Amino acid sequence: MAHFSDCGKHCEHAYCRQQDMLPFQCDACGKTYCSEHFSYDDHSCPKGRKDRDRRVIVCPLCTAAVPLPYGEDENLVWERHATNGLCQPKEVEKKPNRCPAKGCKEKLTLTNSCNCGTCGIKVCLKHRYEDQHECKPAVRKGRPGDSCRTAAGKAAEARAIANRGAQFLASAGDHLRRLVK
């Protein structure tokens, strides 16, 4: 008959002392425990997570990883970091240029953007036409506040008047030639 009294180890918890065939050894304090007392909290480990705990907080100013020792308050650790002179705030990164047209989130790059000829605003290719974005011309010859559409309408009207004048002169020339013949 086999005797198992010499196999395994006794749990080193003060109130347990159970013999366990597959004991656990605490990686912090080095003592042997049974399956009920192997966690740090169950055997009130004096070292516990202190040796293994490797947490950090990220500084919101300089984005540095600041070590957070076990049991210390995050706010105190951050205040210590901010006041010791090592915290060098980084400049805020510039957000990528986006199309200013209402509702458009297109990122403007060199290949997919153009400047409006009337207002000078850089827009995406979808909104390159004056009627596709809120176009207000830069202060030039015209009155300030005229929109591109107004300026385009005035230009079209001027062309129409010029065309009518040219047509009138052409028809008058035709009439004179007939009379002369």
Side-chain angles (χ1 to χ4, degrees), residues 9-138:
K9 289 190 174 184
H10 288 281
C11 177
E12 293 187 42
H13 189 269
Y15 298 107
C16 181
R17 304 292 298 155
Q18 177 184 351
Q19 185 170 0
D20 198 343
M21 297 299 167
L22 296 170
F24 293 93
Q25 187 170 7
C26 178
D27 57 354
C29 64
K31 294 182 180 179
T32 306
Y33 296 98
C34 65
S35 61
E36 292 180 24
H37 298 109
F38 74 93
S39 70
Y40 298 133
D41 295 331
D42 288 339
H43 69 268
S44 303
C45 188
K47 295 181 181 178
R49 292 183 177 88
K50 291 180 186 177
D51 292 342
R52 303 279 180 216
D53 195 14
R54 302 280 186 249
R55 291 185 295 161
V56 296
I57 57 173
V58 177
C59 177
L61 300 175
C62 66
T63 66
V66 181
L68 179 64
Y70 179 74
E72 285 197 40
D73 184 35
E74 296 92 5
N75 294 326
L76 293 175
V77 171
W78 183 78
E79 285 292 328
R80 202 175 327 135
H81 166 73
T83 58
N84 72 1
L86 296 176
C87 184
Q88 299 293 327
K90 291 185 177 178
E91 292 183 24
V92 178
E93 291 183 21
K94 202 174 180 184
K95 289 185 178 178
N97 291 338
R98 303 275 179 191
C99 179
K102 188 174 183 179
C104 185
K105 296 179 182 177
E106 185 72 28
K107 189 175 171 183
L108 298 178
T109 61
L110 187 63
T111 58
N112 76 339
S113 63
C114 65
N115 290 329
C116 176
T118 307
C119 63
I121 295 175
K122 191 173 187 178
V123 292
C124 70
L125 294 177
K126 266 191 242 178
H127 299 106
R128 66 183 176 262
Y129 300 114
E130 294 147 350
D131 61 341
Q132 297 291 321
H133 66 276
E134 291 184 26
C135 192
K136 294 180 181 164

